[in-house]
Amino acid sequence: MNSPHIPESQLHAYVDGQLDTHERAEVLDATRTDAELARQLAELNRLKELVRLAYQNPPPPRQLPHSRPARLSRSGQAIAASCLLTLGLVAGWWAHTPAPGPGFQELSQLDQPIPPGDRVLLHISKMDTQRITHALDKAERLLQNSVQQHRPLQLEIVANAEGLGMLREDSPFGDRIRTMRQQHTNVRFLACGIAMENARLKEGREPKLLPEANKINAALEQILGRLKEGWIYVKG
Amino acid sequence: MGFFWQNKQFEQTLNLHWQRLYRQAYAWCHDPQLAGDLVQETLSRSCRRPYQFENDKALGVWLYKVMNNCWRDHHRQQREMVPLDEMHMVTESGPDLSLAQQQLQHTVQQAMAQLKADHRQIITLIDMEEFSYTEVAEILDIPTGTVMSRLSRGRQQLKLILEKTSPSLAAGGTTIRSIKP
């Protein structure tokens, strides 16, 4: 595939727009007198175009089999929109502020007093016993503080991906979650529907949740909806 | 937070990023659900690390770098690729595509699926996203020379597969002209 004057790597670089003006002119000059070289260039351009076309309209992510609102039932728009919203928050956050924005907090920040009437979403995505224990410790402290200080609080603990294990019926945190729900009416445990669907596909049966947990469409959808409403997001 | 939602132009830029990330993820794994998960995980991981970018291009490179790490982690966990017979047919793409378009996409995707994963990644990052060789080297954390050599080998392999499986397509038949970008 090599031309005597133009190495193959130069041809790839030409079609990929990696050459400077002088180098491009050199390749173009060579193609005027070298039909084989011109054919090779056309072939590379054609391959590039085929690859672009092959992935122009990828199929959307599969839908959950049920319980998805009609407006989200087409072409994976729920996930697409959710990711777009996340990206909006994330990229805006990156692009405009070197430090985390007010809606995002570290777990350690939960020890600090939060504004009255505030709402917090705690996100669990890993089945890491130590981390979940730590996150639940923080959540309980937050709930207790809200009672002691008579501060209204709404807390949602959302589990997805591996973190779904925290809310499954065989969860090692089952007793603790049950106690938390009994003691506090302002905490909700929510399981990601996509993670449940993935578990169902993997295990061949519907995963069972703790009675205290409720299924939602998608964790990301919940997180983004809450962020838009002004909730504080905390990664557990 | 309100600032971000009022900036329509910025939202459009981000929309473009999401679509590109998903398309790229799908090109890497050929599994719509996994591609969606990869993008979701990419965004989730991105949330954890605040970072300031000089421009949109730098943000894009970083996002793909994060997604590549997600993809590597997935491989470490799975240790296998999606078998070809489990690949999703392009007929899922939607009603807007003609049969000829679907066939073309299916043929090229099948050929791409036979490439080594690292070759496929480089080809799709360069051909679809138009990243420079240097940017791809940064995204994949490999030397630029490796990008160039793998690109060359990958394209050569793709050409050979297409010549074998679809000679008319490889030779430049009429099918491609029926595609409207």
Side-chain angles (χ1 to χ4, degrees):
Chain A
M1 199 164 164
N2 282 333
S3 156
H5 306 296
I6 306 291
E8 184 191 343
S9 60
Q10 194 86 340
L11 293 183
H12 286 279
Y14 178 86
V15 299
D16 294 328
Q18 301 295 299
L19 301 181
D20 61 28
T21 309
H22 174 73
E23 291 168 325
R24 289 185 68 80
E26 204 172 65
V27 174
L28 275 176
D29 273 349
T31 58
R32 287 201 190 100
T33 55
D34 189 338
E36 174 59 16
L37 192 67
R39 189 194 64 76
Q40 289 172 10
L41 271 184
E43 193 175 79
L44 286 176
N45 273 319
R46 180 178 174 73
L47 272 180
K48 273 182 80 78
E49 189 62 19
L50 284 173
V51 171
R52 284 198 199 107
L53 293 169
Y55 299 106
Q56 201 170 39
N57 305 92
R62 285 190 296 273
Q63 295 298 295
L64 294 178
H66 53 267
S67 79
R68 183 152 288 216
R71 67 180 178 85
L72 299 173
S73 64
R74 295 176 56 223
S75 306
Q77 286 175 356
I79 293 174
S82 295
C83 289
L84 169 60
L85 295 180
T86 298
L87 192 52
L89 290 164
V90 172
W93 176 32
W94 288 332
H96 299 286
T97 57
F104 295 83
Q105 286 197 7
E106 296 295 326
L107 203 52
S108 59
Q109 290 178 272
L110 280 187
D111 287 337
Q112 299 165 10
I114 60 166
D118 223 332
R119 300 158 296 177
V120 177
L121 185 148
L122 180 56
H123 179 201
I124 305 290
S125 63
K126 297 281 183 194
M127 193 54 193
D128 179 326
T129 305
Q130 196 174 351
R131 282 176 66 170
I132 293 175
T133 301
H134 183 57
L136 291 178
D137 287 347
K138 297 281 185 182
E140 278 198 298
R141 200 167 305 149
L142 193 66
L143 289 163
Q144 286 162 4
N145 287 344
S146 75
V147 173
Q148 289 166 3
Q149 298 166 12
H150 306 290
R151 290 172 179 271
L153 168 75
Q154 289 181 64
L155 176 63
E156 286 185 351
I157 300 179
V158 178
N160 76 331
E162 293 171 19
L164 180 69
M166 181 185 78
L167 299 182
R168 295 180 70 151
E169 68 171 359
D170 57 352
S171 166
F173 302 97
D175 290 341
R176 185 166 187 187
I177 287 169
R178 194 168 301 118
T179 305
M180 285 175 76
R181 278 288 291 151
Q182 285 168 354
Q183 292 178 347
H184 304 280
T185 56
N186 53 340
V187 59
R188 295 174 70 208
F189 291 89
L190 305 173
C192 173
I194 291 177
M196 290 186 68
E197 175 65 3
N198 286 339
R200 188 187 68 80
L201 291 170
K202 189 175 175 183
E203 299 164 16
R205 61 189 172 87
E206 191 78 24
K208 289 185 178 174
L209 296 177
L210 294 167
E212 292 76 20
N214 294 316
K215 179 182 171 183
I216 53 175
N217 281 329
L220 205 56
E221 192 179 302
Q222 184 75 11
I223 291 166
L224 295 163
R226 292 310 193 194
L227 280 170
K228 282 189 81 177
E229 292 167 6
W231 286 51
I232 293 170
Y233 170 88
V234 182
K235 182 70 181 172
Chain B
M1 290 296 168
F3 172 81
F4 306 127
W5 307 109
Q6 290 160 18
N7 188 337
K8 201 68 185 172
Q9 190 179 10
F10 190 56
E11 277 188 37
Q12 287 169 354
T13 305
L14 298 173
N15 187 26
L16 188 64
H17 270 303
W18 186 88
Q19 291 171 348
R20 287 171 56 192
L21 279 172
Y22 178 74
R23 207 162 45 214
Q24 187 68 205
Y26 177 77
W28 292 356
C29 65
H30 290 137
D31 179 336
Q33 194 60 40
L34 177 56
D37 288 347
L38 278 174
V39 176
Q40 183 165 331
E41 178 63 16
T42 298
L43 299 175
S44 175
R45 286 189 190 186
S46 302
C47 284
R48 299 173 203 166
R49 182 184 156 191
Y51 204 91
Q52 196 164 22
F53 295 94
E54 289 181 3
N55 52 46
D56 188 60
K57 189 75 173 174
L59 168 65
V61 168
W62 194 74
L63 283 173
Y64 284 92
K65 195 176 174 73
V66 174
M67 191 162 79
N68 180 52
N69 289 335
C70 296
W71 178 227
R72 284 183 182 176
D73 289 349
H74 172 77
H75 268 294
R76 281 192 204 103
Q77 290 167 2
Q78 300 296 317
R79 296 285 178 202
E80 60 184 16
M81 280 292 295
V82 178
L84 275 184
D85 56 1
E86 289 182 17
M87 275 181 58
H88 292 262
M89 301 291 288
V90 290
T91 47
E92 289 183 29
S93 297
D96 296 337
L97 293 182
S98 70
L99 183 61
Q101 288 172 321
Q102 290 179 24
Q103 286 173 341
L104 181 143
Q105 290 192 340
H106 182 65
T107 301
V108 180
Q109 286 185 20
Q110 290 277 5
M112 288 287 285
Q114 294 180 54
L115 300 183
K116 288 182 179 175
D118 49 1
H119 291 183
R120 184 168 57 248
Q121 268 189 305
I122 290 171
I123 289 175
T124 53
L125 283 167
I126 290 171
D127 289 353
M128 294 162 59
E129 311 305 330
E130 299 184 346
F131 282 123
S132 70
Y133 295 168
T134 312
E135 288 167 338
V136 172
E138 187 184 340
I139 290 167
L140 300 179
D141 199 21
I142 55 177
T144 306
T146 306
V147 170
M148 294 169 70
S149 59
R150 287 180 185 173
L151 174 68
S152 176
R153 285 203 297 274
R155 280 179 175 159
Q156 182 65 17
Q157 184 68 16
L158 178 63
K159 177 175 164 284
L160 290 174
I161 294 168
L162 285 174
E163 281 174 352
K164 193 174 172 183
T165 58
S166 181
S168 63
L169 189 59
T174 54
T175 316
I176 193 170
R177 287 196 274 277
S178 69
I179 300 293
K180 291 176 184 173

